[in-house]
Amino acid sequence: MQFDVETLQGNAITAYSDTDIAVNGRPFAHSLLIGFDGLLEPWPTQGSTGPSAADLAALAGKPYELVIVGTGAVQHFPEPAALVPFMQRGVGMEV
């Protein structure tokens, strides 16, 4: 059996902890949007207990197929109503 190594063509989460995340080996200690296509930008969330409904509403119209929300050491779920626009478009949401 032969195995082939796949080369990653985009952003990859290479490490994480309760306080930060590393993308392609570069650490970040703030909220950010990570796109497979190269997008890597700060995401100014409003709350310390995870994204608010307004934070998620700003993402609802973007062409994402999957949204992964990390909330640190303690898992905080968004308000159920904030998830509706994602469900209506068939966008996966993982908290």
Side-chain angles (χ1 to χ4, degrees), residues 33-56:
L33 298 174
I34 305 167
F36 182 77
D37 60 355
L39 173 70
L40 195 59
E41 64 184 52
W43 184 33
T45 58
Q46 302 299 316
S48 60
T49 58
S52 68
D55 294 329
L56 290 174

Side-chain angles (χ1 to χ4, degrees), residues 1 5 14 20 49-50 59 65 69-70 79 93 95:
M1 179 183 296
V5 177
T14 52
D20 63 342
T49 58
L59 297 180
E65 295 178 12
V69 177
E79 300 169 25
M93 172 76 72
V95 179

Side-chain angles (χ1 to χ4, degrees), residues 35 71 77 94:
T71 60
F77 288 93
E94 183 67 34

Side-chain angles (χ1 to χ4, degrees), residues 1-91:
M1 179 183 296
Q2 180 178 353
F3 291 97
D4 293 322
V5 177
E6 291 186 28
T7 318
L8 181 64
Q9 301 293 324
N11 288 322
I13 297 171
T14 52
Y16 66 92
S17 73
D18 292 344
T19 58
D20 63 342
I21 186 169
V23 179
N24 301 330
R26 182 176 162 203
F28 294 90
H30 57 78
S31 298
L32 70 155
L33 298 174
I34 305 167
F36 182 77
D37 60 355
L39 173 70
L40 195 59
E41 64 184 52
W43 184 33
T45 58
Q46 302 299 316
S48 60
T49 58
S52 68
D55 294 329
L56 290 174
L59 297 180
K62 299 202 181 261
Y64 300 128
E65 295 178 12
L66 172 66
V67 175
I68 301 173
V69 177
T71 60
V74 178
Q75 190 173 28
H76 299 279
F77 288 93
E79 300 169 25
L83 305 178
V84 171
F86 297 95
M87 290 186 284
Q88 289 173 334
R89 289 185 37 240
V91 174

